[in-house]
PDB file of all heavy atoms in Angstrom:
ATOM      1  N   LEU A 132     -22.579 -17.751  35.902  1.00 90.00           N
ATOM      2  CA  LEU A 132     -23.470 -17.479  34.812  1.00 90.00           C
ATOM      3  C   LEU A 132     -23.692 -15.981  34.539  1.00 90.00           C
ATOM      4  O   LEU A 132     -23.619 -15.554  33.405  1.00 90.00           O
ATOM      5  CB  LEU A 132     -24.854 -18.162  35.058  1.00 90.00           C
ATOM      6  CG  LEU A 132     -25.738 -18.216  33.891  1.00 90.00           C
ATOM      7  CD1 LEU A 132     -25.119 -18.992  32.720  1.00 90.00           C
ATOM      8  CD2 LEU A 132     -27.053 -18.853  34.262  1.00 90.00           C
ATOM      9  N   VAL A 133     -23.867 -15.212  35.591  1.00 91.00           N
ATOM     10  CA  VAL A 133     -24.196 -13.772  35.423  1.00 91.00           C
ATOM     11  C   VAL A 133     -23.005 -13.029  34.734  1.00 91.00           C
ATOM     12  O   VAL A 133     -23.186 -12.356  33.661  1.00 91.00           O
ATOM     13  CB  VAL A 133     -24.610 -13.090  36.745  1.00 91.00           C
ATOM     14  CG1 VAL A 133     -24.786 -11.605  36.518  1.00 91.00           C
ATOM     15  CG2 VAL A 133     -25.885 -13.732  37.292  1.00 91.00           C
ATOM     16  N   PRO A 134     -21.740 -13.137  35.282  1.00 91.00           N
ATOM     17  CA  PRO A 134     -20.682 -12.452  34.608  1.00 91.00           C
ATOM     18  C   PRO A 134     -20.424 -13.015  33.195  1.00 91.00           C
ATOM     19  O   PRO A 134     -20.101 -12.253  32.278  1.00 91.00           O
ATOM     20  CB  PRO A 134     -19.449 -12.724  35.487  1.00 91.00           C
ATOM     21  CG  PRO A 134     -19.848 -13.659  36.520  1.00 91.00           C
ATOM     22  CD  PRO A 134     -21.331 -13.701  36.571  1.00 91.00           C
ATOM     23  N   LEU A 135     -20.684 -14.344  33.017  1.00 92.00           N
ATOM     24  CA  LEU A 135     -20.462 -14.938  31.676  1.00 92.00           C
ATOM     25  C   LEU A 135     -21.393 -14.357  30.675  1.00 92.00           C
ATOM     26  O   LEU A 135     -21.019 -13.926  29.522  1.00 92.00           O
ATOM     27  CB  LEU A 135     -20.589 -16.421  31.747  1.00 92.00           C
ATOM     28  CG  LEU A 135     -20.279 -17.192  30.477  1.00 92.00           C
ATOM     29  CD1 LEU A 135     -18.797 -16.981  30.039  1.00 92.00           C
ATOM     30  CD2 LEU A 135     -20.575 -18.671  30.565  1.00 92.00           C
ATOM     31  N   VAL A 136     -22.652 -14.200  31.055  1.00 94.00           N
ATOM     32  CA  VAL A 136     -23.652 -13.627  30.171  1.00 94.00           C
ATOM     33  C   VAL A 136     -23.283 -12.166  29.894  1.00 94.00           C
ATOM     34  O   VAL A 136     -23.433 -11.669  28.764  1.00 94.00           O
ATOM     35  CB  VAL A 136     -25.050 -13.769  30.776  1.00 94.00           C
ATOM     36  CG1 VAL A 136     -26.065 -12.907  29.917  1.00 94.00           C
ATOM     37  CG2 VAL A 136     -25.542 -15.204  30.772  1.00 94.00           C
ATOM     38  N   GLY A 137     -22.760 -11.477  30.913  1.00 93.00           N
ATOM     39  CA  GLY A 137     -22.342 -10.099  30.728  1.00 93.00           C
ATOM     40  C   GLY A 137     -21.276  -9.940  29.688  1.00 93.00           C
ATOM     41  O   GLY A 137     -21.298  -9.147  28.784  1.00 93.00           O
ATOM     42  N   VAL A 138     -20.259 -10.875  29.735  1.00 93.00           N
ATOM     43  CA  VAL A 138     -19.187 -10.815  28.756  1.00 93.00           C
ATOM     44  C   VAL A 138     -19.685 -11.141  27.407  1.00 93.00           C
ATOM     45  O   VAL A 138     -19.310 -10.469  26.393  1.00 93.00           O
ATOM     46  CB  VAL A 138     -18.050 -11.845  29.155  1.00 93.00           C
ATOM     47  CG1 VAL A 138     -17.023 -11.921  28.112  1.00 93.00           C
ATOM     48  CG2 VAL A 138     -17.450 -11.460  30.501  1.00 93.00           C
ATOM     49  N   ILE A 139     -20.545 -12.101  27.347  1.00 94.00           N
ATOM     50  CA  ILE A 139     -21.145 -12.485  26.028  1.00 94.00           C
ATOM     51  C   ILE A 139     -21.859 -11.310  25.435  1.00 94.00           C
ATOM     52  O   ILE A 139     -21.719 -10.950  24.237  1.00 94.00           O
ATOM     53  CB  ILE A 139     -22.088 -13.706  26.130  1.00 94.00           C
ATOM     54  CG1 ILE A 139     -21.249 -14.978  26.498  1.00 94.00           C
ATOM     55  CG2 ILE A 139     -22.805 -13.952  24.793  1.00 94.00           C
ATOM     56  CD1 ILE A 139     -22.090 -16.174  26.708  1.00 94.00           C
ATOM     57  N   ALA A 140     -22.615 -10.611  26.253  1.00 94.00           N
ATOM     58  CA  ALA A 140     -23.388  -9.434  25.779  1.00 94.00           C
ATOM     59  C   ALA A 140     -22.404  -8.323  25.315  1.00 94.00           C
ATOM     60  O   ALA A 140     -22.557  -7.809  24.201  1.00 94.00           O
ATOM     61  CB  ALA A 140     -24.248  -8.848  26.885  1.00 94.00           C
ATOM     62  N   LEU A 141     -21.381  -8.055  26.061  1.00 94.00           N
ATOM     63  CA  LEU A 141     -20.405  -6.996  25.715  1.00 94.00           C
ATOM     64  C   LEU A 141     -19.749  -7.311  24.399  1.00 94.00           C
ATOM     65  O   LEU A 141     -19.643  -6.447  23.488  1.00 94.00           O
ATOM     66  CB  LEU A 141     -19.347  -6.909  26.742  1.00 94.00           C
ATOM     67  CG  LEU A 141     -19.476  -5.884  27.902  1.00 94.00           C
ATOM     68  CD1 LEU A 141     -18.271  -5.944  28.864  1.00 94.00           C
ATOM     69  CD2 LEU A 141     -19.562  -4.476  27.343  1.00 94.00           C
ATOM     70  N   ALA A 142     -19.277  -8.596  24.214  1.00 94.00           N
ATOM     71  CA  ALA A 142     -18.551  -8.953  22.993  1.00 94.00           C
ATOM     72  C   ALA A 142     -19.529  -8.944  21.819  1.00 94.00           C
ATOM     73  O   ALA A 142     -19.234  -8.488  20.701  1.00 94.00           O
ATOM     74  CB  ALA A 142     -17.904 -10.238  23.141  1.00 94.00           C
ATOM     75  N   THR A 143     -20.764  -9.446  22.113  1.00 94.00           N
ATOM     76  CA  THR A 143     -21.711  -9.486  20.975  1.00 94.00           C
ATOM     77  C   THR A 143     -22.106  -8.102  20.429  1.00 94.00           C
ATOM     78  O   THR A 143     -22.251  -7.934  19.228  1.00 94.00           O
ATOM     79  CB  THR A 143     -23.020 -10.257  21.415  1.00 94.00           C
ATOM     80  OG1 THR A 143     -22.685 -11.498  21.949  1.00 94.00           O
ATOM     81  CG2 THR A 143     -23.983 -10.457  20.282  1.00 94.00           C
ATOM     82  N   VAL A 144     -22.226  -7.108  21.362  1.00 95.00           N
ATOM     83  CA  VAL A 144     -22.519  -5.786  20.868  1.00 95.00           C
ATOM     84  C   VAL A 144     -21.383  -5.307  19.968  1.00 95.00           C
ATOM     85  O   VAL A 144     -21.662  -4.758  18.882  1.00 95.00           O
ATOM     86  CB  VAL A 144     -22.660  -4.777  22.091  1.00 95.00           C
ATOM     87  CG1 VAL A 144     -22.658  -3.375  21.611  1.00 95.00           C
ATOM     88  CG2 VAL A 144     -23.902  -5.137  22.839  1.00 95.00           C
ATOM     89  N   GLY A 145     -20.144  -5.593  20.312  1.00 94.00           N
ATOM     90  CA  GLY A 145     -19.028  -5.210  19.431  1.00 94.00           C
ATOM     91  C   GLY A 145     -19.135  -5.893  18.095  1.00 94.00           C
ATOM     92  O   GLY A 145     -18.979  -5.248  17.036  1.00 94.00           O
ATOM     93  N   PHE A 146     -19.284  -7.216  18.095  1.00 92.00           N
ATOM     94  CA  PHE A 146     -19.412  -8.028  16.808  1.00 92.00           C
ATOM     95  C   PHE A 146     -20.391  -7.429  15.912  1.00 92.00           C
ATOM     96  O   PHE A 146     -20.237  -7.159  14.767  1.00 92.00           O
ATOM     97  CB  PHE A 146     -19.860  -9.430  17.161  1.00 92.00           C
ATOM     98  CG  PHE A 146     -18.770 -10.321  17.697  1.00 92.00           C
ATOM     99  CD1 PHE A 146     -17.595  -9.863  18.154  1.00 92.00           C
ATOM    100  CD2 PHE A 146     -18.967 -11.705  17.764  1.00 92.00           C
ATOM    101  CE1 PHE A 146     -16.622 -10.696  18.699  1.00 92.00           C
ATOM    102  CE2 PHE A 146     -18.061 -12.573  18.269  1.00 92.00           C
ATOM    103  CZ  PHE A 146     -16.863 -12.055  18.748  1.00 92.00           C
ATOM    104  N   VAL A 147     -21.637  -7.208  16.536  1.00 94.00           N
ATOM    105  CA  VAL A 147     -22.852  -6.907  15.733  1.00 94.00           C
ATOM    106  C   VAL A 147     -22.718  -5.437  15.250  1.00 94.00           C
ATOM    107  O   VAL A 147     -23.182  -5.145  14.125  1.00 94.00           O
ATOM    108  CB  VAL A 147     -24.085  -7.172  16.466  1.00 94.00           C
ATOM    109  CG1 VAL A 147     -25.328  -6.781  15.698  1.00 94.00           C
ATOM    110  CG2 VAL A 147     -24.180  -8.659  16.742  1.00 94.00           C
ATOM    111  N   ALA A 148     -22.148  -4.569  16.040  1.00 95.00           N
ATOM    112  CA  ALA A 148     -22.004  -3.143  15.664  1.00 95.00           C
ATOM    113  C   ALA A 148     -21.242  -2.995  14.358  1.00 95.00           C
ATOM    114  O   ALA A 148     -21.670  -2.370  13.416  1.00 95.00           O
ATOM    115  CB  ALA A 148     -21.412  -2.333  16.764  1.00 95.00           C
TER     116      ALA A 148
END
Side-chain angles (χ1 to χ4, degrees):
Chain A
L132 194 59
V133 175
L135 185 63
V136 169
V138 173
I139 292 176
L141 265 181
T143 305
V144 169
F146 283 13
V147 176

